[in-house]
Amino acid sequence: QVQLVESGGGLVQAGDSLKLSCAASGGTFSTYGMGWFRQAPGKEREFVAAISWGAGRTYYADSVKGRFTISRDNAKNTVYLQMNSLKPEDTAVYYCGASKSYTGSSYPRYEYWGQGTQVTVSS
């Protein structure tokens, strides 16, 4: 069983930056595809970014391309999401997910999830 714990969320102003972290335990982190998703109040969970097990492939939602960067450190069992030029519409709870066999934008294909971290961007 894999446990994921997100951290790094907070309240920032538009244009600021935040770096989220997702620490994994209980599994072989280096073999998992990892993804970041977010969910705003009243909306469905949406894809943000994903990274393959060896970091050779990354994927981004169009809404965050050029502003967000996903990365991972397999030695630290951690995946990161660097968020720059934040906008009020980025406000959401951000979740990381892990998959034994998938890297991409489909959240049902991720087997494990963290509890989420709140990001609030004020205008």
Side-chain angles (χ1 to χ4, degrees), residues 2-25:
V2 175
Q3 291 83 43
L4 303 173
V5 179
E6 302 96 334
S7 61
L11 172 63
V12 297
Q13 294 187 331
D16 286 351
S17 297
L18 274 178
K19 187 173 185 177
L20 305 183
S21 299
C22 173
S25 61

Side-chain angles (χ1 to χ4, degrees), residues 32-92:
Y32 288 91
M34 300 296 296
W36 283 99
F37 291 74
R38 65 188 181 187
Q39 188 165 17
K43 295 187 177 181
E44 293 189 353
R45 191 169 298 192
E46 66 171 356
F47 170 71
V48 176
I51 188 166
S52 61
W53 64 272
R57 291 176 287 131
T58 56
Y59 306 91
Y60 296 94
D62 288 343
S63 59
V64 306
K65 277 181 183 177
R67 298 189 299 123
F68 291 11
T69 302
I70 189 170
S71 62
R72 67 190 296 163
D73 185 337
N74 288 341
K76 295 183 178 180
N77 289 355
T78 302
V79 63
Y80 305 98
L81 185 68
Q82 176 68 47
M83 306 186 294
N84 299 329
S85 302
L86 282 161
K87 304 175 180 179
E89 50 264 44
D90 295 318
T91 295

